[in-house]
Amino acid sequence: LKVLLKPRIGIIDNLDDTYTSADIGFSSESDWVKWFSEYSAYISHYAERAKKTGVDIFCVGTELSFTTQREDKWKDIIADARKLYNGKLVYASKDDNFTNIAFWKYLDYIGIEAGKPSGQLPSVEDMKAIWDKWHSTIVAIQLALNKPVILTNWMV
């Protein structure tokens, strides 16, 4: 077994799943700069904890889909994490966004959050259908980048 430390941002959404961390985004550049500055400090704190506790893999972000469009900011976050933590790094992408991540090349693993269908306990057939849906795309990205893929969260 390996230990993965995966900090996660929770969104207060009136408990109706209207918004998630994937929806974080801003219309002004100054708001983006502020968010990335604060997020970088947040991740740096956990990167130091990951080093102190000896975890095997550290996750620099989880399901932050809109923010991933800013490759230069993620490159900086990853570089800062590497200065503080000497283990392997991953980002945990939503299963509908992993093909859009331009910064996989800076990480050790490709991380994918695989979700459950329709908020209900999936059957074996449902889980096979989810895997079949993404299998060829995951393999293609893995081969193109020559990086292992980790399913960072299989929700059941």
Side-chain angles (χ1 to χ4, degrees):
L1 292 177
K2 302 265 184 192
V3 176
L4 165 67
L5 176 59
K6 186 173 77 165
R8 187 177 192 112
I9 294 177
I11 303 288
I12 297 172
D13 63 359
N14 297 323
L15 304 176
D16 66 357
D17 290 329
T18 305
Y19 298 104
T20 69
S21 59
D23 298 314
I24 293 172
F26 305 97
S27 56
S28 78
E29 189 60 28
S30 63
D31 287 341
W32 276 111
V33 168
K34 181 179 179 187
W35 188 85
F36 272 106
S37 174
E38 292 177 5
Y39 186 76
S40 181
Y42 169 76
I43 287 300
S44 291
H45 167 78
Y46 283 102
E48 290 174 337
R49 303 295 267 161
K51 181 178 182 176
K52 286 180 185 175
T53 57
V55 302
D56 301 292
I57 306 167
F58 178 63
C59 186
V60 297
T62 304
E63 294 189 347
L64 297 165
S65 299
F66 281 136
T67 72
T68 62
Q69 299 167 24
R70 304 218 164 207
E71 179 184 358
D72 59 327
K73 297 294 186 184
W74 280 100
K75 183 179 176 183
D76 292 343
I77 287 171
I78 294 163
D80 289 345
R82 288 207 186 277
K83 291 176 191 170
L84 299 168
Y85 171 73
N86 55 1
K88 302 290 185 179
L89 297 178
V90 67
Y91 171 81
S93 175
K94 279 187 63 127
D95 58 5
D96 62 357
N97 191 51
F98 71 92
T99 59
N100 301 320
I101 306 294
F103 54 85
W104 289 131
K105 60 190 166 213
Y106 305 114
L107 296 162
D108 300 299
Y109 298 107
I110 298 165
I112 302 171
E113 299 276 288
K116 61 183 175 181
S118 306
Q120 57 189 316
L121 187 61
S123 67
V124 171
E125 292 76 25
D126 289 337
M127 291 192 309
K128 285 181 181 179
I130 290 169
W131 176 250
D132 288 344
K133 175 181 173 183
W134 296 112
H135 182 258
S136 62
T137 306
I138 291 170
V139 169
I141 286 177
Q142 188 276 325
L143 291 173
L145 295 172
N146 195 29
K147 292 188 184 283
V149 174
I150 300 174
L151 296 180
T152 51
N153 187 34
W154 183 270
M155 307 259 315
V156 291

mmCIF file with all atom_site columns, all heavy atoms in Angstrom, residues 5 7 38-52 58 81 84:
data_model
loop_
_atom_site.group_PDB
_atom_site.id
_atom_site.type_symbol
_atom_site.label_atom_id
_atom_site.label_alt_id
_atom_site.label_comp_id
_atom_site.label_asym_id
_atom_site.label_entity_id
_atom_site.label_seq_id
_atom_site.pdbx_PDB_ins_code
_atom_site.Cartn_x
_atom_site.Cartn_y
_atom_site.Cartn_z
_atom_site.occupancy
_atom_site.B_iso_or_equiv
_atom_site.pdbx_formal_charge
_atom_site.auth_seq_id
_atom_site.auth_comp_id
_atom_site.auth_asym_id
_atom_site.auth_atom_id
_atom_site.pdbx_PDB_model_num
ATOM 1   N N   . LEU A 1 5  ? -1.475 11.829 0.104  1.00 0.00 ? 5  LEU A N   1
ATOM 2   C CA  . LEU A 1 5  ? -2.078 12.969 0.795  1.00 0.00 ? 5  LEU A CA  1
ATOM 3   C C   . LEU A 1 5  ? -2.720 13.844 -0.264 1.00 0.00 ? 5  LEU A C   1
ATOM 4   O O   . LEU A 1 5  ? -2.047 14.324 -1.184 1.00 0.00 ? 5  LEU A O   1
ATOM 5   C CB  . LEU A 1 5  ? -1.027 13.755 1.578  1.00 0.00 ? 5  LEU A CB  1
ATOM 6   C CG  . LEU A 1 5  ? -1.532 15.022 2.272  1.00 0.00 ? 5  LEU A CG  1
ATOM 7   C CD1 . LEU A 1 5  ? -2.645 14.715 3.267  1.00 0.00 ? 5  LEU A CD1 1
ATOM 8   C CD2 . LEU A 1 5  ? -0.373 15.738 2.960  1.00 0.00 ? 5  LEU A CD2 1
ATOM 9   N N   . PRO A 1 7  ? -5.059 17.031 -0.371 1.00 0.00 ? 7  PRO A N   1
ATOM 10  C CA  . PRO A 1 7  ? -5.880 18.147 0.128  1.00 0.00 ? 7  PRO A CA  1
ATOM 11  C C   . PRO A 1 7  ? -7.006 18.444 -0.859 1.00 0.00 ? 7  PRO A C   1
ATOM 12  O O   . PRO A 1 7  ? -6.830 18.318 -2.072 1.00 0.00 ? 7  PRO A O   1
ATOM 13  C CB  . PRO A 1 7  ? -4.895 19.320 0.186  1.00 0.00 ? 7  PRO A CB  1
ATOM 14  C CG  . PRO A 1 7  ? -3.539 18.711 0.162  1.00 0.00 ? 7  PRO A CG  1
ATOM 15  C CD  . PRO A 1 7  ? -3.680 17.425 -0.596 1.00 0.00 ? 7  PRO A CD  1
ATOM 16  N N   . GLU A 1 38 ? -3.225 32.454 -2.752 1.00 0.00 ? 38 GLU A N   1
ATOM 17  C CA  . GLU A 1 38 ? -3.742 31.787 -1.551 1.00 0.00 ? 38 GLU A CA  1
ATOM 18  C C   . GLU A 1 38 ? -3.710 30.269 -1.697 1.00 0.00 ? 38 GLU A C   1
ATOM 19  O O   . GLU A 1 38 ? -3.384 29.543 -0.750 1.00 0.00 ? 38 GLU A O   1
ATOM 20  C CB  . GLU A 1 38 ? -5.147 32.290 -1.233 1.00 0.00 ? 38 GLU A CB  1
ATOM 21  C CG  . GLU A 1 38 ? -5.129 33.744 -0.780 1.00 0.00 ? 38 GLU A CG  1
ATOM 22  C CD  . GLU A 1 38 ? -6.503 34.320 -0.524 1.00 0.00 ? 38 GLU A CD  1
ATOM 23  O OE1 . GLU A 1 38 ? -7.514 33.579 -0.606 1.00 0.00 ? 38 GLU A OE1 1
ATOM 24  O OE2 . GLU A 1 38 ? -6.571 35.528 -0.250 1.00 0.00 ? 38 GLU A OE2 1
ATOM 25  N N   . TYR A 1 39 ? -4.033 29.774 -2.882 1.00 0.00 ? 39 TYR A N   1
ATOM 26  C CA  . TYR A 1 39 ? -4.006 28.333 -3.100 1.00 0.00 ? 39 TYR A CA  1
ATOM 27  C C   . TYR A 1 39 ? -2.576 27.803 -3.016 1.00 0.00 ? 39 TYR A C   1
ATOM 28  O O   . TYR A 1 39 ? -2.332 26.744 -2.440 1.00 0.00 ? 39 TYR A O   1
ATOM 29  C CB  . TYR A 1 39 ? -4.640 27.959 -4.449 1.00 0.00 ? 39 TYR A CB  1
ATOM 30  C CG  . TYR A 1 39 ? -4.742 26.469 -4.615 1.00 0.00 ? 39 TYR A CG  1
ATOM 31  C CD1 . TYR A 1 39 ? -5.723 25.755 -3.927 1.00 0.00 ? 39 TYR A CD1 1
ATOM 32  C CD2 . TYR A 1 39 ? -3.839 25.762 -5.399 1.00 0.00 ? 39 TYR A CD2 1
ATOM 33  C CE1 . TYR A 1 39 ? -5.802 24.366 -4.035 1.00 0.00 ? 39 TYR A CE1 1
ATOM 34  C CE2 . TYR A 1 39 ? -3.910 24.384 -5.515 1.00 0.00 ? 39 TYR A CE2 1
ATOM 35  C CZ  . TYR A 1 39 ? -4.903 23.699 -4.832 1.00 0.00 ? 39 TYR A CZ  1
ATOM 36  O OH  . TYR A 1 39 ? -4.967 22.328 -4.924 1.00 0.00 ? 39 TYR A OH  1
ATOM 37  N N   . SER A 1 40 ? -1.632 28.541 -3.546 1.00 0.00 ? 40 SER A N   1
ATOM 38  C CA  . SER A 1 40 ? -0.225 28.143 -3.477 1.00 0.00 ? 40 SER A CA  1
ATOM 39  C C   . SER A 1 40 ? 0.236  28.022 -2.029 1.00 0.00 ? 40 SER A C   1
ATOM 40  O O   . SER A 1 40 ? 0.929  27.057 -1.667 1.00 0.00 ? 40 SER A O   1
ATOM 41  C CB  . SER A 1 40 ? 0.639  29.153 -4.231 1.00 0.00 ? 40 SER A CB  1
ATOM 42  O OG  . SER A 1 40 ? 1.991  28.767 -4.187 1.00 0.00 ? 40 SER A OG  1
ATOM 43  N N   . ALA A 1 41 ? -0.150 28.970 -1.186 1.00 0.00 ? 41 ALA A N   1
ATOM 44  C CA  . ALA A 1 41 ? 0.197  28.899 0.242  1.00 0.00 ? 41 ALA A CA  1
ATOM 45  C C   . ALA A 1 41 ? -0.448 27.673 0.894  1.00 0.00 ? 41 ALA A C   1
ATOM 46  O O   . ALA A 1 41 ? 0.182  26.982 1.708  1.00 0.00 ? 41 ALA A O   1
ATOM 47  C CB  . ALA A 1 41 ? -0.227 30.183 0.946  1.00 0.00 ? 41 ALA A CB  1
ATOM 48  N N   . TYR A 1 42 ? -1.688 27.402 0.533  1.00 0.00 ? 42 TYR A N   1
ATOM 49  C CA  . TYR A 1 42 ? -2.426 26.238 1.051  1.00 0.00 ? 42 TYR A CA  1
ATOM 50  C C   . TYR A 1 42 ? -1.704 24.941 0.674  1.00 0.00 ? 42 TYR A C   1
ATOM 51  O O   . TYR A 1 42 ? -1.457 24.074 1.529  1.00 0.00 ? 42 TYR A O   1
ATOM 52  C CB  . TYR A 1 42 ? -3.841 26.289 0.467  1.00 0.00 ? 42 TYR A CB  1
ATOM 53  C CG  . TYR A 1 42 ? -4.711 25.068 0.644  1.00 0.00 ? 42 TYR A CG  1
ATOM 54  C CD1 . TYR A 1 42 ? -5.309 24.784 1.869  1.00 0.00 ? 42 TYR A CD1 1
ATOM 55  C CD2 . TYR A 1 42 ? -4.982 24.226 -0.434 1.00 0.00 ? 42 TYR A CD2 1
ATOM 56  C CE1 . TYR A 1 42 ? -6.142 23.682 2.018  1.00 0.00 ? 42 TYR A CE1 1
ATOM 57  C CE2 . TYR A 1 42 ? -5.810 23.124 -0.294 1.00 0.00 ? 42 TYR A CE2 1
ATOM 58  C CZ  . TYR A 1 42 ? -6.389 22.863 0.931  1.00 0.00 ? 42 TYR A CZ  1
ATOM 59  O OH  . TYR A 1 42 ? -7.209 21.770 1.079  1.00 0.00 ? 42 TYR A OH  1
ATOM 60  N N   . ILE A 1 43 ? -1.336 24.803 -0.599 1.00 0.00 ? 43 ILE A N   1
ATOM 61  C CA  . ILE A 1 43 ? -0.668 23.587 -1.064 1.00 0.00 ? 43 ILE A CA  1
ATOM 62  C C   . ILE A 1 43 ? 0.739  23.480 -0.477 1.00 0.00 ? 43 ILE A C   1
ATOM 63  O O   . ILE A 1 43 ? 1.190  22.389 -0.115 1.00 0.00 ? 43 ILE A O   1
ATOM 64  C CB  . ILE A 1 43 ? -0.659 23.528 -2.602 1.00 0.00 ? 43 ILE A CB  1
ATOM 65  C CG1 . ILE A 1 43 ? -2.065 23.200 -3.104 1.00 0.00 ? 43 ILE A CG1 1
ATOM 66  C CG2 . ILE A 1 43 ? 0.345  22.515 -3.142 1.00 0.00 ? 43 ILE A CG2 1
ATOM 67  C CD1 . ILE A 1 43 ? -2.637 21.861 -2.602 1.00 0.00 ? 43 ILE A CD1 1
ATOM 68  N N   . SER A 1 44 ? 1.432  24.595 -0.338 1.00 0.00 ? 44 SER A N   1
ATOM 69  C CA  . SER A 1 44 ? 2.775  24.574 0.261  1.00 0.00 ? 44 SER A CA  1
ATOM 70  C C   . SER A 1 44 ? 2.722  24.051 1.688  1.00 0.00 ? 44 SER A C   1
ATOM 71  O O   . SER A 1 44 ? 3.588  23.280 2.113  1.00 0.00 ? 44 SER A O   1
ATOM 72  C CB  . SER A 1 44 ? 3.399  25.967 0.222  1.00 0.00 ? 44 SER A CB  1
ATOM 73  O OG  . SER A 1 44 ? 3.692  26.333 -1.108 1.00 0.00 ? 44 SER A OG  1
ATOM 74  N N   . HIS A 1 45 ? 1.709  24.469 2.431  1.00 0.00 ? 45 HIS A N   1
ATOM 75  C CA  . HIS A 1 45 ? 1.540  23.971 3.805  1.00 0.00 ? 45 HIS A CA  1
ATOM 76  C C   . HIS A 1 45 ? 1.429  22.443 3.813  1.00 0.00 ? 45 HIS A C   1
ATOM 77  O O   . HIS A 1 45 ? 2.111  21.760 4.588  1.00 0.00 ? 45 HIS A O   1
ATOM 78  C CB  . HIS A 1 45 ? 0.288  24.598 4.436  1.00 0.00 ? 45 HIS A CB  1
ATOM 79  C CG  . HIS A 1 45 ? -0.142 23.941 5.704  1.00 0.00 ? 45 HIS A CG  1
ATOM 80  N ND1 . HIS A 1 45 ? 0.485  24.160 6.916  1.00 0.00 ? 45 HIS A ND1 1
ATOM 81  C CD2 . HIS A 1 45 ? -1.126 23.039 5.946  1.00 0.00 ? 45 HIS A CD2 1
ATOM 82  C CE1 . HIS A 1 45 ? -0.101 23.430 7.843  1.00 0.00 ? 45 HIS A CE1 1
ATOM 83  N NE2 . HIS A 1 45 ? -1.083 22.737 7.290  1.00 0.00 ? 45 HIS A NE2 1
ATOM 84  N N   . TYR A 1 46 ? 0.600  21.910 2.939  1.00 0.00 ? 46 TYR A N   1
ATOM 85  C CA  . TYR A 1 46 ? 0.410  20.459 2.909  1.00 0.00 ? 46 TYR A CA  1
ATOM 86  C C   . TYR A 1 46 ? 1.603  19.718 2.307  1.00 0.00 ? 46 TYR A C   1
ATOM 87  O O   . TYR A 1 46 ? 1.874  18.572 2.684  1.00 0.00 ? 46 TYR A O   1
ATOM 88  C CB  . TYR A 1 46 ? -0.905 20.094 2.213  1.00 0.00 ? 46 TYR A CB  1
ATOM 89  C CG  . TYR A 1 46 ? -2.078 20.335 3.126  1.00 0.00 ? 46 TYR A CG  1
ATOM 90  C CD1 . TYR A 1 46 ? -2.872 21.457 2.987  1.00 0.00 ? 46 TYR A CD1 1
ATOM 91  C CD2 . TYR A 1 46 ? -2.349 19.462 4.171  1.00 0.00 ? 46 TYR A CD2 1
ATOM 92  C CE1 . TYR A 1 46 ? -3.928 21.696 3.858  1.00 0.00 ? 46 TYR A CE1 1
ATOM 93  C CE2 . TYR A 1 46 ? -3.392 19.687 5.050  1.00 0.00 ? 46 TYR A CE2 1
ATOM 94  C CZ  . TYR A 1 46 ? -4.183 20.804 4.886  1.00 0.00 ? 46 TYR A CZ  1
ATOM 95  O OH  . TYR A 1 46 ? -5.217 21.034 5.748  1.00 0.00 ? 46 TYR A OH  1
ATOM 96  N N   . ALA A 1 47 ? 2.327  20.362 1.405  1.00 0.00 ? 47 ALA A N   1
ATOM 97  C CA  . ALA A 1 47 ? 3.548  19.739 0.862  1.00 0.00 ? 47 ALA A CA  1
ATOM 98  C C   . ALA A 1 47 ? 4.577  19.566 1.982  1.00 0.00 ? 47 ALA A C   1
ATOM 99  O O   . ALA A 1 47 ? 5.248  18.533 2.063  1.00 0.00 ? 47 ALA A O   1
ATOM 100 C CB  . ALA A 1 47 ? 4.116  20.581 -0.276 1.00 0.00 ? 47 ALA A CB  1
ATOM 101 N N   . GLU A 1 48 ? 4.694  20.561 2.842  1.00 0.00 ? 48 GLU A N   1
ATOM 102 C CA  . GLU A 1 48 ? 5.601  20.444 3.994  1.00 0.00 ? 48 GLU A CA  1
ATOM 103 C C   . GLU A 1 48 ? 5.154  19.323 4.927  1.00 0.00 ? 48 GLU A C   1
ATOM 104 O O   . GLU A 1 48 ? 5.975  18.566 5.431  1.00 0.00 ? 48 GLU A O   1
ATOM 105 C CB  . GLU A 1 48 ? 5.682  21.773 4.741  1.00 0.00 ? 48 GLU A CB  1
ATOM 106 C CG  . GLU A 1 48 ? 6.415  22.845 3.982  1.00 0.00 ? 48 GLU A CG  1
ATOM 107 C CD  . GLU A 1 48 ? 6.364  24.205 4.660  1.00 0.00 ? 48 GLU A CD  1
ATOM 108 O OE1 . GLU A 1 48 ? 5.445  24.465 5.470  1.00 0.00 ? 48 GLU A OE1 1
ATOM 109 O OE2 . GLU A 1 48 ? 7.254  25.018 4.357  1.00 0.00 ? 48 GLU A OE2 1
ATOM 110 N N   . ARG A 1 49 ? 3.846  19.222 5.158  1.00 0.00 ? 49 ARG A N   1
ATOM 111 C CA  . ARG A 1 49 ? 3.311  18.142 6.011  1.00 0.00 ? 49 ARG A CA  1
ATOM 112 C C   . ARG A 1 49 ? 3.568  16.783 5.375  1.00 0.00 ? 49 ARG A C   1
ATOM 113 O O   . ARG A 1 49 ? 3.881  15.817 6.056  1.00 0.00 ? 49 ARG A O   1
ATOM 114 C CB  . ARG A 1 49 ? 1.808  18.322 6.247  1.00 0.00 ? 49 ARG A CB  1
ATOM 115 C CG  . ARG A 1 49 ? 1.403  19.632 6.856  1.00 0.00 ? 49 ARG A CG  1
ATOM 116 C CD  . ARG A 1 49 ? 1.907  19.845 8.219  1.00 0.00 ? 49 ARG A CD  1
ATOM 117 N NE  . ARG A 1 49 ? 0.914  19.390 9.163  1.00 0.00 ? 49 ARG A NE  1
ATOM 118 C CZ  . ARG A 1 49 ? 1.202  19.102 10.422 1.00 0.00 ? 49 ARG A CZ  1
ATOM 119 N NH1 . ARG A 1 49 ? 2.422  19.204 10.854 1.00 0.00 ? 49 ARG A NH1 1
ATOM 120 N NH2 . ARG A 1 49 ? 0.277  18.709 11.236 1.00 0.00 ? 49 ARG A NH2 1
ATOM 121 N N   . ALA A 1 50 ? 3.421  16.704 4.062  1.00 0.00 ? 50 ALA A N   1
ATOM 122 C CA  . ALA A 1 50 ? 3.668  15.443 3.351  1.00 0.00 ? 50 ALA A CA  1
ATOM 123 C C   . ALA A 1 50 ? 5.117  15.016 3.539  1.00 0.00 ? 50 ALA A C   1
ATOM 124 O O   . ALA A 1 50 ? 5.401  13.832 3.766  1.00 0.00 ? 50 ALA A O   1
ATOM 125 C CB  . ALA A 1 50 ? 3.344  15.600 1.865  1.00 0.00 ? 50 ALA A CB  1
ATOM 126 N N   . LYS A 1 51 ? 6.030  15.963 3.460  1.00 0.00 ? 51 LYS A N   1
ATOM 127 C CA  . LYS A 1 51 ? 7.449  15.637 3.656  1.00 0.00 ? 51 LYS A CA  1
ATOM 128 C C   . LYS A 1 51 ? 7.703  15.179 5.090  1.00 0.00 ? 51 LYS A C   1
ATOM 129 O O   . LYS A 1 51 ? 8.360  14.167 5.327  1.00 0.00 ? 51 LYS A O   1
ATOM 130 C CB  . LYS A 1 51 ? 8.324  16.840 3.324  1.00 0.00 ? 51 LYS A CB  1
ATOM 131 C CG  . LYS A 1 51 ? 9.797  16.541 3.489  1.00 0.00 ? 51 LYS A CG  1
ATOM 132 C CD  . LYS A 1 51 ? 10.657 17.714 3.113  1.00 0.00 ? 51 LYS A CD  1
ATOM 133 C CE  . LYS A 1 51 ? 12.136 17.329 3.262  1.00 0.00 ? 51 LYS A CE  1
ATOM 134 N NZ  . LYS A 1 51 ? 13.021 18.398 2.830  1.00 0.00 ? 51 LYS A NZ  1
ATOM 135 N N   . LYS A 1 52 ? 7.176  15.931 6.064  1.00 0.00 ? 52 LYS A N   1
ATOM 136 C CA  . LYS A 1 52 ? 7.394  15.608 7.480  1.00 0.00 ? 52 LYS A CA  1
ATOM 137 C C   . LYS A 1 52 ? 6.828  14.251 7.864  1.00 0.00 ? 52 LYS A C   1
ATOM 138 O O   . LYS A 1 52 ? 7.381  13.550 8.701  1.00 0.00 ? 52 LYS A O   1
ATOM 139 C CB  . LYS A 1 52 ? 6.782  16.685 8.372  1.00 0.00 ? 52 LYS A CB  1
ATOM 140 C CG  . LYS A 1 52 ? 7.558  17.967 8.390  1.00 0.00 ? 52 LYS A CG  1
ATOM 141 C CD  . LYS A 1 52 ? 6.901  19.001 9.291  1.00 0.00 ? 52 LYS A CD  1
ATOM 142 C CE  . LYS A 1 52 ? 7.639  20.323 9.198  1.00 0.00 ? 52 LYS A CE  1
ATOM 143 N NZ  . LYS A 1 52 ? 6.960  21.382 9.967  1.00 0.00 ? 52 LYS A NZ  1
ATOM 144 N N   . PHE A 1 58 ? 2.016  13.007 -3.129 1.00 0.00 ? 58 PHE A N   1
ATOM 145 C CA  . PHE A 1 58 ? 1.315  14.216 -2.722 1.00 0.00 ? 58 PHE A CA  1
ATOM 146 C C   . PHE A 1 58 ? 0.517  14.752 -3.904 1.00 0.00 ? 58 PHE A C   1
ATOM 147 O O   . PHE A 1 58 ? 1.027  14.861 -5.017 1.00 0.00 ? 58 PHE A O   1
ATOM 148 C CB  . PHE A 1 58 ? 2.291  15.288 -2.224 1.00 0.00 ? 58 PHE A CB  1
ATOM 149 C CG  . PHE A 1 58 ? 1.632  16.573 -1.842 1.00 0.00 ? 58 PHE A CG  1
ATOM 150 C CD1 . PHE A 1 58 ? 0.726  16.628 -0.799 1.00 0.00 ? 58 PHE A CD1 1
ATOM 151 C CD2 . PHE A 1 58 ? 1.904  17.730 -2.547 1.00 0.00 ? 58 PHE A CD2 1
ATOM 152 C CE1 . PHE A 1 58 ? 0.095  17.812 -0.459 1.00 0.00 ? 58 PHE A CE1 1
ATOM 153 C CE2 . PHE A 1 58 ? 1.291  18.931 -2.212 1.00 0.00 ? 58 PHE A CE2 1
ATOM 154 C CZ  . PHE A 1 58 ? 0.384  18.969 -1.164 1.00 0.00 ? 58 PHE A CZ  1
ATOM 155 N N   . ALA A 1 81 ? 5.901  22.923 -4.914 1.00 0.00 ? 81 ALA A N   1
ATOM 156 C CA  . ALA A 1 81 ? 5.690  21.671 -4.174 1.00 0.00 ? 81 ALA A CA  1
ATOM 157 C C   . ALA A 1 81 ? 6.944  20.797 -4.232 1.00 0.00 ? 81 ALA A C   1
ATOM 158 O O   . ALA A 1 81 ? 7.326  20.178 -3.234 1.00 0.00 ? 81 ALA A O   1
ATOM 159 C CB  . ALA A 1 81 ? 4.471  20.919 -4.712 1.00 0.00 ? 81 ALA A CB  1
ATOM 160 N N   . LEU A 1 84 ? 9.515  21.711 -1.688 1.00 0.00 ? 84 LEU A N   1
ATOM 161 C CA  . LEU A 1 84 ? 9.162  21.405 -0.299 1.00 0.00 ? 84 LEU A CA  1
ATOM 162 C C   . LEU A 1 84 ? 9.013  19.913 -0.022 1.00 0.00 ? 84 LEU A C   1
ATOM 163 O O   . LEU A 1 84 ? 9.123  19.478 1.125  1.00 0.00 ? 84 LEU A O   1
ATOM 164 C CB  . LEU A 1 84 ? 7.845  22.107 0.050  1.00 0.00 ? 84 LEU A CB  1
ATOM 165 C CG  . LEU A 1 84 ? 7.879  23.628 -0.043 1.00 0.00 ? 84 LEU A CG  1
ATOM 166 C CD1 . LEU A 1 84 ? 6.467  24.192 0.042  1.00 0.00 ? 84 LEU A CD1 1
ATOM 167 C CD2 . LEU A 1 84 ? 8.757  24.205 1.054  1.00 0.00 ? 84 LEU A CD2 1
#
